[in-house]
Amino acid sequence: QVQVVESGGGLVQPGGSLRLSCEASGSDFRFRIMGWYRQVPGKERELVARITTGYTTNYGDSVKGRFTISRDNVKNTVYLQMNNLKPGDTAVYYCNTYPVSSSNYWGRGTQVTVSS
């Protein structure tokens, strides 16, 4: 079981940057693949990026080259550096283990709004 608290969202203009943080608890954090997800009202939650226990990363096609996921297993924290933000990135961003199921707990998420 991993419990998470997301932070770092906000309002930014197109082309701007934000850095999201996910503070996790649970002694098995370092053994879990972690991911950042996002959701827009009326849409299904989608995986944005994930990072393995060996620090291998994968990204959704829409964010490749713009977002970077990283983790610090000492601090039990996952980060998402978001550069060159676009209006289509507007969503509530969540972190969690990967994969997820109906038994997963979700945090409150952090709102990212990209608008001029």
Side-chain angles (χ1 to χ4, degrees):
Q1 179 182 225
V2 174
Q3 303 288 322
V4 298
V5 178
E6 302 96 340
S7 63
L11 174 64
V12 64
Q13 293 186 330
S17 298
L18 286 172
R19 178 174 156 93
L20 307 184
S21 296
C22 170
E23 298 180 346
S25 62
S27 61
D28 62 344
F29 170 83
R30 65 188 185 278
F31 303 120
R32 298 297 196 99
I33 301 173
M34 298 296 296
W36 280 98
Y37 304 78
R38 67 187 183 188
Q39 187 170 32
V40 177
K43 294 275 191 175
E44 187 175 345
R45 182 181 283 115
E46 66 171 337
L47 178 68
V48 175
R50 63 184 175 94
I51 184 167
T52 71
T53 58
Y55 306 102
T56 299
T57 59
N58 295 93
Y59 300 92
D61 288 340
S62 65
V63 307
K64 286 181 179 177
R66 300 188 297 119
F67 290 11
T68 302
I69 187 172
S70 60
R71 70 191 295 166
D72 186 330
N73 288 337
V74 175
K75 297 180 178 179
N76 275 19
T77 301
V78 185
Y79 305 96
L80 186 67
Q81 178 66 47
M82 305 185 294
N83 298 325
N84 191 24
L85 283 160
K86 302 176 180 180
D89 297 319
T90 296
V92 178
Y93 284 70
Y94 304 87
C95 69
N96 215 322
T97 56
Y98 179 87
V100 295
S101 70
S102 60
S103 65
N104 281 83
Y105 294 108
W106 293 92
R108 292 179 178 271
T110 185
Q111 176 72 48
V112 172
T113 302
V114 185
S115 176
S116 59

